[in-house]
């Protein structure tokens, strides 16, 4: 089944889908920028949307327009296991996903996020748990809604992580920066922002239509690496956007004329 990332939650009401995707996007964005506390806080918002979707799925696919914030969330998650016990093939929606949500909520409430004097300060380890638990939950929702394999659902969620930039044109395996007046370095950062994970040097060179590969390596990639905006692996010829590079690229997006 060839499902595009933008269609992953098309069965949901638009506003509920936006609640889910906006919370997930904020987790990813804040993690990239090493903003640990906001990254963890948005785990709670994600859980509210996920709870609403699971409940709607278990009740026959009837979804409200917006995410619901139930009282005593941990209790409601535990209740799903028994309340919907008779729903066939429902283990993921009533047991697995709700139990993962319990972990996210516990980090939100008891690990120094949102509360002065809590036992643990916001940190990268907890934020990493939030990020990858959120990715697992999102992939499991996609699998549940569309009857996909785990591998197919995970690939779709990886596609969701890619940042949408209005003036980066995408068509198949082609990318073009449409905004004029940017340096080669700035264009490179923007292209990397729209991609998830490592990007091949050859792809960046092709997308930019840079006049010379030796110059591109020396004057663009190596300098961005020196400035700690990207990690440039010269052995495997791949480039990865680092947190300061995310911040620089997001500043360019924010400064859109």
């Amino acid at each position: 089944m060839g499902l595009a990332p933008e269609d992953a939650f098309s069965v949901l009401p638009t506003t509920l889908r936006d609640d889910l995707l906006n919370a997930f996007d904020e987790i990813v964005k804040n993690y990239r920028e090493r903003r640990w506390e906001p990254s963890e806080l948005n785990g709670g918002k994600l859980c509210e949307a996920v709870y609403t979707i699971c409940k709607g799925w278990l009740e026959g696919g009837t979804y409200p327009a917006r995410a619901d914030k139930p009282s005593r969330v941990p209790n409601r998650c535990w209740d799903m296991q028994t309340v919907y016990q008779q729903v066939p093939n429902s283990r993921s929606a009533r047991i697995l996903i709700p139990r993962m949500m319990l972990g996210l909520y516990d980090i939100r409430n008891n690990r120094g996020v949102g509360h002065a004097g809590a036992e643990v300060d916001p940190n990268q380890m907890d934020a990493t748990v939030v990020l990858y638990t959120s990715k697992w939950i999102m992939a499991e929702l996609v699998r549940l809604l569309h009857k996909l394999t785990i591998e197919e659902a995970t690939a779709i969620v990886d596609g969701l992580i890619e940042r949408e930039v209005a003036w980066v044109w995408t068509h198949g395996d082609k990318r073009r920066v449409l905004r004029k007046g940017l340096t080669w370095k700035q264009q490179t950062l923007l292209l990397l922002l729209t991609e998830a994970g490592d990007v091949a040097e050859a792809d960046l060179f092709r997308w930019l239509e840079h006049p010379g590969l030796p110059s591109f390596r020396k004057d663009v990639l190596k300098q961005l690496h020196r400035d700690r905006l990207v990690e440039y692996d010269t052995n495997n010829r791949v480039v990865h956007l680092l947190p300061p590079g995310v911040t620089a690229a997001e500043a360019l997006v924010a400064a859109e004329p």
Side-chain angles (χ1 to χ4, degrees):
M1 181 179 181
L3 184 70
E6 58 269 22
D7 297 326
F9 300 100
S10 58
V11 299
L12 303 175
T14 302
T15 46
L16 178 58
R17 183 176 71 232
D18 289 346
D19 288 340
L20 176 73
L21 294 178
N22 288 342
F24 183 64
D25 287 346
E26 284 298 308
I27 290 171
V28 173
K29 179 177 181 291
N30 288 324
Y31 187 89
R32 281 172 169 168
E33 295 178 358
R34 303 177 69 84
R35 299 171 63 224
W36 308 135
E37 186 167 6
S39 180
E40 295 169 357
L41 278 169
N42 280 284
K45 294 180 181 179
L46 181 76
C47 285
E48 292 164 10
V50 172
Y51 171 83
T52 304
I53 293 166
C54 285
K55 187 171 182 291
W57 187 89
L58 290 164
E59 293 178 353
T62 302
Y63 304 100
R66 301 304 299 264
D68 181 32
K69 185 178 182 180
S71 60
R72 302 176 66 84
V73 172
N75 292 25
R76 300 289 77 76
C77 288
W78 282 116
D79 290 346
M80 280 183 158
Q81 180 171 343
T82 53
V83 170
Y84 299 103
Q85 190 171 7
Q86 302 307 315
V87 178
N89 303 314
S90 63
R91 182 175 179 82
S92 180
R94 66 184 177 87
I95 299 177
L96 295 181
I97 296 176
R99 288 181 181 177
M100 298 297 276
M101 286 193 290
L102 287 172
L104 285 184
Y105 249 91
D106 203 45
I107 290 176
R108 164 66 179 87
N109 291 330
N110 298 309
R111 294 284 288 183
V113 182
H115 299 282
E119 62 176 282
V120 180
D121 289 332
N123 61 81
Q124 183 176 7
M125 181 178 69
D126 285 358
T128 300
V129 171
V130 169
L131 174 67
Y132 282 93
T133 301
S134 299
K135 283 187 64 177
W136 183 92
I137 288 174
M138 294 289 282
E140 192 65 6
L141 282 179
V142 172
R143 191 188 67 79
L144 192 69
L145 294 171
H146 297 282
K147 296 182 174 62
L148 303 179
T149 67
I150 292 174
E151 292 77 13
E152 289 169 332
T154 301
I156 288 168
V157 172
D158 284 339
L160 288 172
I161 290 177
E162 297 175 0
R163 176 72 155 85
E164 290 292 332
V165 177
W167 24 268
V168 173
W169 175 76
T170 301
H171 181 71
D173 64 349
K174 293 180 181 180
R175 308 284 188 273
R176 294 287 185 269
V177 178
L178 303 181
R179 181 176 167 187
K180 296 182 179 180
L182 298 177
T183 67
W184 292 117
K185 292 179 187 177
Q186 290 172 327
Q187 292 182 64
T188 299
L189 291 175
L190 286 175
L191 287 170
L192 289 170
L193 185 66
T194 65
E195 298 295 309
D198 293 338
V199 179
E201 167 198 272
D203 286 337
L204 286 170
F205 179 71
R206 175 169 54 87
W207 295 339
L208 288 167
E209 297 183 312
H210 193 280
L213 184 56
S215 173
F216 178 58
R217 288 171 173 168
K218 177 185 176 182
D219 299 329
V220 179
L221 297 182
K222 288 185 178 180
Q223 288 193 26
L224 288 172
H225 178 90
R226 181 200 63 196
D227 294 337
R228 297 297 184 261
L229 297 177
V230 308
E231 178 65 23
Y232 177 34
D233 184 341
T234 56
N235 292 322
N236 296 307
R237 297 298 180 189
V238 295
V239 187
H240 189 93
L241 192 62
L242 295 177
V246 174
T247 302
E250 291 285 2
L252 289 170
V253 174
E256 179 181 359

